Amino acid sequence: QKEVEQDPGPLSVPEGAIVSLNCTYSNSAFQYFMWYRQYSRKGPELLMYTYSSGNKEDGRFTAQVDKSSKYISLFIRDSQPSDSATYLCAMSGNNDMRFGAGTRLTVKP
Amino acid sequence: DVKVTQSSRYLVKRTGEKVFLECVQDMDHENMFWYRQDPGLGLRLIYFSYDVKMKEKGDIPEGYSVSREKKERFSLILESASTNQTSMYLCASSFWTSGTYGTQYFGPGTRLTVL
């Protein structure tokens, strides 16, 4: 079992749709949970991070962490073509850090 | 804003050459990291450093070495480049936070091609 599982997609949605991106993980020591957005041929850009369980909202983006299920999500409301990118989940804790392989998202006008 | 810069965006080298990739961060972060990113394999940690002159091997250190002489600068060295080292190389930095690597900030990446 991989330490972090993330569906690679690709995921294609129409503009304005709600997008749900998810990761599962196996290491219960993870405490920090992050989402990165990576445009083609660019470095990952930190989008959101949360500590432990709970929700965090920033504009059209909401990050959710359920530590009991070892499951994290990123929701994008009112998706825009500019949201088209690869989204990476990441988590760290107990001297370890892991990344998901990334989900490729395309938002069509 | 945190800024992580990498010395080159694109690099083409020949097999057997010694290659230097340099990374500089301006946020006084303790931790610095080198990753490579390949399609289908995601991000894989090569080396990280938690302080000047300190380094730890990551998941795939073979064929690579690193140097950190100053806090803001972390170099990745390919002693003798091989074609299987063709990849996107990403540098990142972070504060050490509550026993974790904290949130990492990435540079723009260097796309290295070894012919």
Side-chain angles (χ1 to χ4, degrees), chain A residues 20-84:
Chain A
S20 172
L21 304 167
N22 311 293
C23 287
T24 58
Y25 63 95
S26 57
N27 187 347
S28 57
F30 289 142
Q31 299 169 285
Y32 280 85
F33 302 91
M34 292 142 280
W35 286 96
Y36 290 85
R37 177 175 62 196
Q38 186 175 22
Y39 292 114
S40 183
R41 300 186 177 274
K42 298 284 178 69
E45 167 196 10
L46 181 66
L47 206 53
M48 296 187 73
Y49 72 92
T50 50
Y51 174 72
S52 195
S53 284
N55 294 358
K56 187 172 184 179
E57 190 173 318
D58 184 2
R60 296 183 295 110
F61 298 90
T62 300
Q64 286 186 353
V65 175
D66 181 349
K67 288 189 74 179
S68 61
S69 302
K70 299 190 181 70
Y71 187 88
I72 70 170
S73 302
L74 178 71
F75 297 96
I76 307 174
R77 289 185 300 281
D78 187 26
S79 56
Q80 302 294 309
S82 58
D83 295 327
S84 297

Side-chain angles (χ1 to χ4, degrees), chain B residues 73-84:
Chain B
R73 197 176 296 264
F74 193 34
S75 300
L76 179 70
I77 303 148
L78 287 66
E79 296 291 341
S80 178
S82 63
T83 54
N84 63 11

Side-chain angles (χ1 to χ4, degrees), chain B residues 84-104:
Chain B
N84 63 11
Q85 292 179 309
T86 292
S87 186
M88 172 74 138
Y89 288 87
L90 290 161
C91 175
S93 69
S94 72
F95 285 120
W96 185 252
T97 307
S98 301
T100 79
Y101 296 125
T103 52
Q104 294 185 22

Side-chain angles (χ1 to χ4, degrees), chain B:
Chain B
D1 274 358
V2 175
K3 193 158 186 184
V4 180
T5 56
Q6 295 183 227
S7 50
S8 306
R9 291 300 309 278
Y10 300 94
L11 212 50
V12 179
K13 295 292 181 181
R14 297 219 172 266
T15 301
E17 279 193 78
K18 191 168 186 175
V19 182
F20 292 87
L21 302 181
E22 195 164 73
C23 175
V24 178
Q25 51 96 1
D26 67 356
M27 280 301 292
D28 203 34
H29 285 164
E30 300 100 342
N31 301 321
M32 294 189 75
F33 308 81
W34 276 106
Y35 293 91
R36 63 179 284 177
Q37 187 177 35
D38 301 288
L41 297 177
L43 282 166
R44 293 181 292 168
L45 180 65
I46 304 171
Y47 268 97
F48 78 94
S49 169
Y50 53 90
D51 201 351
V52 174
K53 297 190 186 295
M54 306 305 288
K55 62 185 178 186
E56 292 284 342
K57 292 180 180 179
D59 298 320
I60 52 162
E62 295 79 19
Y64 304 95
S65 62
V66 290
S67 172
R68 192 165 180 202
E69 298 296 319
K70 293 185 178 181
K71 191 174 186 179
E72 68 272 17
R73 197 176 296 264
F74 193 34
S75 300
L76 179 70
I77 303 148
L78 287 66
E79 296 291 341
S80 178
S82 63
T83 54
N84 63 11
Q85 292 179 309
T86 292
S87 186
M88 172 74 138
Y89 288 87
L90 290 161
C91 175
S93 69
S94 72
F95 285 120
W96 185 252
T97 307
S98 301
T100 79
Y101 296 125
T103 52
Q104 294 185 22
Y105 295 85
F106 284 85
T110 295
R111 187 165 291 276
L112 172 67
T113 302
V114 182
L115 302 175

